[in-house]
């Protein structure tokens, strides 16, 4: 890759120009502080903070979408010097594309999206119209994951054919999603759905918003089926989960069998003082439970002398 694609240009341009704005804000605040002896007002920080976070999440999304780190660093350095985007300016030679990382991370999100859609469809089948607050959080997390995954696929420029080669069509997606819940009892399914409601997807939501603001579509992608296609197909293929304890057990053998199936036996991970243990599915090899890192708090910038760092 010697030149950025059209989608990469949009992201690099947005990143460089956002950096110019942030740098100018710091310069303006520094000048005011030097002239008046007063630090920036609280309103300044309320304006600066979300802009700085959005810029950092755009960087994260760009890296996930295959934009070379060399280009990301180059346009950020230019922005720090107050130089806005210009198409005629060269970009440094990029490093080799790490397709294993890029496609591996994207595939993990695709698998997670399949599982979450199936989990939500199954839960709504066995427990409709319960816990509206959790249902709202689940919908929010599904949107964040879908929009960010779609944005990254579009930034990569994946085609319909490439999407089919990687993950199949909507029928394949639905089949794989349903398989993820095979033999999962209703009680565990409910527990996993509640964990999904508590998952922190704020970083992905911000990355999706940053990509959309840069001009990258985040609603639909040629390489990915839409939720409108997937949800009905998943519902049609679901087998209604059965509760683990369908009837009262009467013998010691039945109780032992039920306990083994429920995976409720105490192990070394249990806190002997509190009697609590980690969620039974949080580290399981097949559940793909995921809690994204909370959005970092971008601290107050270090103010510099006016004009410092700008090119003459």
């Amino acid at each position: 890759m010697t030149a950025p694609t059209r989608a990469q240009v949009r992201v690099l341009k947005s990143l460089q120009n956002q950096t110019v704005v942030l740098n100018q804000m710091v310069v303006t605040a520094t000048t005011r502080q030097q002239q008046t002896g007063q630090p920036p007002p609280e309103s300044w920080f309320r304006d600066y903070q979300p802009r700085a976070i959005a810029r950092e999440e755009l960087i994260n999304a760009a890296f996930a979408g295959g934009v070379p780190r060399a280009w990301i660093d180059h346009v950020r350095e230019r922005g720090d010097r107050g130089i806005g985007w210009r198409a005629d300016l060269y970009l440094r030679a990029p490093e080799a594309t790490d397709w294993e990382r890029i496609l591996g991370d994207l595939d993990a999100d695709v698998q997670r999206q399949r599982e979450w859609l199936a989990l939500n469809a199954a839960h709504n089948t066995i427990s409709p119209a319960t816990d509206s607050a959790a249902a709202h959080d689940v919908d929010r997390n599904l949107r964040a994951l879908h929009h960010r995954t779609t944005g990254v696929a579009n930034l990569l420029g994946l085609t319909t054919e490439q999407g089919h080669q990687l993950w199949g069509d909507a029928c394949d997606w639905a089949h794989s999603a349903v398989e993820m819940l095979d033999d999962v009892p209703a009680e565990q399914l409910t527990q996993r759905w509640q964990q999904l409601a508590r998952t922190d997807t704020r970083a992905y939501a911000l990355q999706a918003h940053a990509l959309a603001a840069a001009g990258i579509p985040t609603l639909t992608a040629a390489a990915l089926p839409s939720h409108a296609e997937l949800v009905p197909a998943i519902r049609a293929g679901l087998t209604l989960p059965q509760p683990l304890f369908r009837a009262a057990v009467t013998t010691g053998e039945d109780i032992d069998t039920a306990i083994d199936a429920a995976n409720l036996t105490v192990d070394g991970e249990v806190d002997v003082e509190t009697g609590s243990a980690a969620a039974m599915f949080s580290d399981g090899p097949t559940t793909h439970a995921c809690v994204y890192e909370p959005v970092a708090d971008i601290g107050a910038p270090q103010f510099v002398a006016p004009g410092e760092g700008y090119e003459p």
Side-chain angles (χ1 to χ4, degrees):
M1 181 190 300
T2 58
T5 65
R6 185 173 301 178
Q8 289 174 335
V9 166
R10 291 173 179 172
V11 169
L12 291 169
K13 178 180 179 179
S14 180
L15 172 58
Q16 185 166 336
N17 290 340
Q18 285 183 39
T19 303
V20 170
V21 171
L22 289 169
N23 190 66
Q24 185 57 52
M25 288 181 69
V26 173
V27 171
T28 301
T30 302
T31 302
R32 178 185 183 276
Q33 184 169 342
Q34 290 177 340
Q35 292 175 346
T36 66
Q38 298 296 320
E42 189 66 28
S43 60
W44 184 92
F45 288 96
R46 287 197 300 269
D47 187 19
Y48 180 88
Q49 183 85 355
R51 290 176 183 269
I53 291 174
R55 194 268 306 271
E56 294 309 305
E57 293 301 346
L58 179 59
I59 290 173
N60 292 335
F63 191 59
V67 180
R69 177 64 70 179
W71 291 352
I72 293 172
D73 292 342
H74 199 177
V75 299
R76 184 170 182 175
E77 290 167 13
R78 281 180 172 152
D80 283 336
R81 297 198 301 271
I83 302 172
W85 174 266
R86 282 171 42 192
D88 61 323
L89 293 178
Y90 78 99
L91 289 168
R92 292 174 186 150
E95 70 275 16
T97 302
D98 186 354
W99 288 112
E100 183 176 358
R101 170 190 64 82
I102 294 167
L103 293 179
D105 289 348
L106 181 59
D107 179 69
D109 281 337
V110 165
Q111 302 307 328
R112 189 169 296 119
Q113 186 173 352
R114 286 172 169 172
E115 181 192 16
W116 285 8
L117 285 169
L119 191 60
N120 193 45
H123 180 269
N124 290 340
T125 299
I126 63 175
S127 301
T130 60
D131 198 348
S132 59
H136 175 272
D137 292 341
V138 167
D139 287 342
R140 176 201 63 208
N141 290 339
L142 283 169
R143 286 195 303 272
L145 178 61
H146 169 67
H147 291 166
R148 197 269 193 174
T149 304
T150 300
V152 169
N154 285 329
L155 180 54
L156 284 168
L158 296 179
T159 64
T160 301
E161 181 180 357
Q162 289 168 334
H164 286 174
Q165 290 175 346
L166 289 166
W167 306 294
D169 59 15
C171 291
D172 296 318
W173 274 60
H175 179 71
S176 297
V178 170
E179 280 190 332
M180 289 180 172
L181 300 185
D182 281 351
D183 302 321
V184 177
E187 293 88 348
Q188 190 180 105
L189 187 149
T190 297
Q191 185 188 35
R192 287 164 62 173
W193 183 84
Q194 292 168 346
Q195 176 72 9
L196 167 55
R198 295 190 296 270
T199 300
D200 187 344
T201 58
R202 288 176 297 169
Y204 266 27
L206 286 171
Q207 289 178 32
H209 180 76
L211 288 172
I216 306 300
T218 60
L219 297 180
T220 61
L224 308 175
S226 68
H227 279 195
E229 296 176 275
L230 287 174
V231 172
I234 289 173
R235 285 176 178 165
L238 277 174
T239 300
L240 187 65
Q242 296 298 315
L244 183 61
F245 300 105
R246 288 188 289 271
V249 292
T250 57
T251 69
E253 183 178 352
D254 290 335
I255 294 173
D256 289 340
T257 300
I259 290 175
D260 289 341
N263 194 25
L264 298 177
T265 54
V266 176
D267 59 29
E269 298 297 321
V270 175
D271 188 324
V272 295
E273 293 184 357
T274 64
S276 63
M280 60 191 292
F281 59 87
S282 60
D283 296 317
T286 60
T287 60
H288 307 289
C290 174
V291 177
Y292 300 116
E293 289 295 328
V295 177
D297 182 25
I298 305 297
Q302 298 295 317
F303 297 122
V304 297
E308 183 177 333
Y310 282 81
E311 288 189 344

